[in-house]
Amino acid sequence: MPLSYGDVGQVQTHEPKLLVASHNHVRNSAGLFDVGHMVQSNFRGPSATQFLEWLTPSSLSALKPYNSTLSVLLNEQGGIIDDTVLTKHAEDAFYVVTNAGRRDRDLEWFKEKLDEWNSEEGKGKGAKVEMEVLENWGLLALQGPQSAAYLQTLTPFDLKTLPFGTSAFVPIEGFNLHVARGGYTGEDGFEISIPPSQTVDVAELLTKDPKVVQLTGLGARDSLRLEAGMCLYGNDLDETTSPVEAGLTWVIGKERRETGAFIGADGVRKHLKEGPPRRRVGFVVEGAPARQHAKIFSEQTQIGTITSGIPSPTLGKNIAMGYVQSGHHKKGTELEVEVRGKRRKAVVEGMPFVKARYYRG
């Protein structure tokens, strides 16, 4: 996905990668993101639920069919290999989306763990699981407050019956497509999975009224997700970070926190019990925007690092997120961030910075 599409949204601030017009169009109308670089996979087999509950700390057994959850793949130490969205289609079938930048690491991990699970001595106990990578499939994210009304004109399916976090196979102008209500912007919207031969036709269909839906690139996607307080793998998450440190404790099923047998459980439970050594927090920064790797100080002591930061188009102030030592994480705490060789005031702020507007039904 490019930073921008031609002259679409080319109203820029001094920040060349922050396309403010595209950002605002998604906030006020609808934008279409080509996220086909993401890795889409199906997992099937009589023990698919148990297998994915071994790889993640989420309560997939309790998840209803055609419901989704954000989750994390964990390494043996409880660090985050990748963040992912899992959609249960049935007890023996899941649709899983993982990040393009982690493709090689994720696929190698899945293969290793599938081989272990499916072996004669494996945890699967003969109930084998298969993985299918949906190579070259399209994935389009239609996002913004007008996305539902626009998509409704293309389908007889009642989208009011599809709240946030659910999915269905939806007829769209002759195509039968997997549509999940959700996204990466904090706005109402849909992620639509499309067979390779149909992707271009569906993209053209979804953008036939450019006054409502504009093609939107990576620059606006990054600013929207940061305003929504969402993590970007490689910036805000990595294999040295636990979900507790990352503020993602909510993805860990309540009944799994004490007894769940998932990879990395010991490290996660240590942070749950003793508290994490550091925590992801949001900031409002005075002066120039703080960027990734900027140092965070309490008086003369460095107590953390910025992982993402931008001038917020919606709020008109500089926002950022980063990790600070526990004890410095409470809302309203005043710290300093080093930007361009100068210390600037940074106040810990609650996230999301911009309130989410998901459709809950």
Side-chain angles (χ1 to χ4, degrees):
M1 182 168 60
L3 288 171
S4 63
Y5 288 88
D7 59 357
V8 175
Q10 292 286 350
V11 177
Q12 300 175 320
T13 65
H14 63 284
E15 301 293 331
K17 295 181 180 179
L18 188 57
L19 303 182
V20 178
S22 286
H23 176 110
N24 290 339
H25 190 84
V26 175
R27 285 275 183 248
N28 297 310
S29 185
L32 188 71
F33 300 86
D34 177 3
V35 288
H37 56 289
M38 303 288 280
V39 182
Q40 302 175 70
S41 303
N42 287 320
F43 288 83
R44 301 186 186 93
S47 62
T49 298
Q50 291 75 22
F51 173 70
L52 291 172
E53 282 194 334
W54 181 45
L55 266 59
T56 76
S58 297
S59 296
L60 304 179
S61 299
L63 200 64
K64 295 179 181 179
Y66 288 91
N67 278 245
S68 304
T69 183
L70 177 70
S71 193
V72 285
L73 300 173
L74 299 177
N75 62 26
E76 301 288 355
Q77 293 72 45
I80 300 172
I81 294 174
D82 201 1
D83 56 321
T84 178
V85 175
L86 301 100
T87 301
K88 177 189 272 188
H89 286 166
E91 288 297 328
D92 61 352
F94 284 81
Y95 166 68
V96 178
V97 179
T98 50
N99 285 303
R102 299 295 286 169
R103 179 187 176 96
D104 291 346
R105 174 70 169 110
D106 292 345
L107 294 184
E108 181 183 357
W109 183 253
F110 282 136
K111 183 181 185 304
E112 175 188 331
K113 296 306 170 185
L114 277 167
D115 288 346
E116 185 177 338
W117 183 268
N118 290 333
S119 69
E120 290 185 7
E121 304 297 325
K123 295 178 181 291
K125 299 179 180 179
K128 293 187 177 182
V129 177
E130 296 180 350
M131 178 185 182
E132 174 194 17
V133 180
L134 300 177
E135 296 287 7
N136 301 316
W137 276 55
L139 189 64
L140 297 175
L142 180 64
Q143 300 282 292
Q146 297 300 315
S147 58
Y150 185 83
L151 188 59
Q152 191 65 79
T153 66
L154 305 175
T155 179
F157 184 96
D158 185 1
L159 295 174
K160 290 181 181 178
T161 65
L162 195 70
F164 177 79
T166 66
S167 64
F169 283 93
V170 175
I172 300 175
E173 294 282 305
F175 303 102
N176 188 43
L177 305 174
H178 185 266
V179 176
R181 197 154 198 164
Y184 196 51
T185 62
E187 295 290 341
D188 184 24
F190 307 87
E191 292 193 340
I192 305 169
S193 179
I194 314 165
S197 64
Q198 301 173 4
T199 302
V200 173
D201 290 339
V202 174
E204 290 176 348
L205 183 65
L206 292 173
T207 54
K208 66 180 183 179
D209 186 351
K211 291 182 180 179
V212 179
V213 181
Q214 289 184 356
L215 286 170
T216 312
L218 191 61
R221 184 172 170 84
D222 190 54
S223 56
L224 289 159
R225 70 90 191 169
L226 184 47
E227 288 186 345
M230 296 177 177
C231 297
L232 176 65
Y233 198 94
N235 281 44
D236 315 301
L237 303 174
D238 59 31
E239 291 206 40
T240 69
T241 304
S242 81
V244 184
E245 291 177 310
L248 297 175
T249 301
W250 62 270
V251 309
I252 307 170
K254 291 182 181 180
E255 75 281 3
R256 308 201 72 212
R257 297 181 189 186
E258 295 293 332
T259 60
F262 57 90
I263 294 170
D266 289 346
V268 169
R269 289 192 180 113
K270 179 178 174 63
H271 283 183
L272 285 171
K273 183 178 180 180
E274 301 176 4
R278 58 188 184 131
R279 298 174 187 265
R280 180 175 64 94
V281 296
F283 294 98
V284 171
V285 182
E286 293 186 355
R291 299 298 194 182
Q292 187 183 23
H293 306 307
K295 297 175 181 178
I296 304 168
F297 292 87
S298 176
E299 297 180 347
Q300 299 306 310
T301 304
Q302 183 182 350
I303 51 90
T305 306
I306 296 294
T307 54
S308 292
I310 58 166
S312 165
T314 303
L315 301 176
K317 53 189 177 183
N318 300 319
I319 61 173
M321 68 171 71
Y323 286 84
V324 297
Q325 294 174 6
S326 288
H328 298 275
H329 63 281
K330 294 182 179 179
K331 185 177 178 180
T333 300
E334 294 186 7
L335 300 169
E336 291 183 312
V337 177
E338 189 173 275
V339 181
R340 300 174 187 171
K342 182 179 179 180
R343 299 276 185 88
R344 301 181 185 275
K345 181 180 177 181
V347 179
V348 176
E349 181 85 3
M351 295 187 287
F353 298 100
V354 175
K355 185 178 180 180
R357 297 195 289 184
Y358 304 129
Y359 173 72
R360 302 286 184 179

